[in-house]
Amino acid sequence: MKIEPIGIINSPYQVKGDSPRQGRFSEKLSQITVFDEYAQGLQDIEKREHLIILYGLDRAEDYKLMVIPPGKTKEQGLFSTRAPVRPNPIALCMVKLVKVEGNILTVKWLDALDSSPLLDIKPFLPEVDCMEK
Amino acid sequence: MKIEPIGIINSPYQVKGDSPRQGRFSEKLSQITVFDEYAQGLQDIEKREHLIILYGLDRAEDYKLMVIPPGKTKEQGLFSTRAPVRPNPIALCMVKLVKVEGNILTVKWLDALDSSPLLDIKPFLPEVDCMEK
């Protein structure tokens, strides 16, 4: 299965240590630029307050099946964690949409490193994406 | 970016019309089989009540940038919808973990068609994946 970037993320996080453990705990803004050929698909996006961003973990190390999560001392199975060292290095992050200007979205809560490849934008739907119904 | 299945999904949904519009609205069970080479990564997964499953939309049509969502009459930009016809055909679905037996997870709420390729399993973390904090 071949995956192609549909845009690029510009964020304040240049290297691994810069990014918050979860973007949710930062008010910093990131820009998501959708490539021109996909820009039409952004129509109506401004009606959505929250989005789920899928992006490529292009600088993650090779995958590991056992990891020690930050702040822990014991190894855990990878799939019980959000560690970036995954067989398919795809991250997801729920963000708040702040502004739409043409094919550029300004968002907060995104934890991507600067210049990460954008893979998809989905509307966040609380009735199916959350536990509380 | 090359993406490889890490497992396979067995669900009660054989063709497009079978699957619920959102799996959340069905109590039907699906099985997720993680391939042996990745099974070690499932350690500790039983401690998670809810998971986010990423899977490949391997039978989706070619992508469209404008779509008419079910029950609507007006076209909308693709990225403001969850339509499966995406440039990168990756679906995400929040599920409830019912049972773990070896490398097979039984879950509910999954909306995948039978034999869909599994791409990733992530723990659902309400503090970052939901709007309500």
Side-chain angles (χ1 to χ4, degrees), chain A residues 95-116:
Chain A
V95 304
K96 186 173 170 69
L97 180 58
V98 174
K99 193 165 59 176
V100 182
E101 292 168 301
N103 60 337
I104 300 177
L105 311 183
T106 299
V107 303
K108 64 179 176 182
W109 303 345
L110 188 56
D111 56 7
L113 290 180
D114 190 44
S115 80
S116 294

Side-chain angles (χ1 to χ4, degrees), chain B residues 43-73:
Chain B
Q43 216 170 290
D44 308 295
I45 200 87
E46 72 285 351
K47 295 173 191 155
R48 302 294 189 172
E49 201 180 347
H50 297 90
L51 303 172
I52 297 175
I53 304 301
L54 297 188
Y55 66 91
L57 293 157
D58 58 340
R59 276 149 286 177
E61 293 164 42
D62 249 12
Y63 79 87
K64 296 190 187 77
L65 293 175
M66 298 298 294
V67 298
I68 302 176
K72 301 277 171 75
T73 54

Side-chain angles (χ1 to χ4, degrees), chain A:
Chain A
M1 192 173 162
K2 194 85 172 21
I3 294 296
E4 296 285 357
I6 62 162
I8 188 154
I9 293 168
N10 291 102
S11 86
Y13 315 122
Q14 299 302 323
V15 293
K16 203 180 150 191
D18 288 353
S19 65
R21 190 150 80 78
Q22 295 292 354
R24 184 61 170 272
F25 307 125
S26 165
E27 291 296 299
K28 288 189 180 165
L29 300 178
S30 294
Q31 263 79 40
I32 299 173
T33 303
V34 174
F35 296 145
D36 288 345
E37 63 189 290
Y38 303 110
Q40 190 189 18
L42 290 175
Q43 216 170 290
D44 308 295
I45 200 88
E46 72 285 351
K47 295 173 190 154
R48 301 295 189 171
E49 201 181 346
H50 297 89
L51 304 172
I52 297 175
I53 304 300
L54 297 188
Y55 66 91
L57 293 157
D58 58 340
R59 276 150 285 176
E61 294 164 42
D62 248 12
Y63 79 87
K64 297 190 186 80
L65 293 175
M66 297 299 293
V67 297
I68 301 176
K72 300 277 171 75
T73 52
K74 205 170 149 277
E75 275 194 332
Q76 270 181 238
L78 172 69
F79 300 120
S80 74
T81 78
R82 294 287 273 259
V85 291
R86 315 187 81 79
N88 290 314
I90 302 170
L92 77 85
C93 190
M94 206 272 276
V95 304
K96 186 173 170 69
L97 180 58
V98 174
K99 193 165 59 176
V100 182
E101 292 168 301
N103 60 337
I104 300 177
L105 311 183
T106 299
V107 303
K108 64 179 176 182
W109 303 345
L110 188 56
D111 56 7
L113 290 180
D114 190 44
S115 80
S116 294
L118 174 69
L119 301 180
D120 201 4
I121 298 173
K122 301 181 193 285
F124 169 79
L125 305 176
E127 67 275 23
V128 295
D129 294 322
C130 276
M131 224 161 49
E132 304 83 4
K133 203 175 162 180

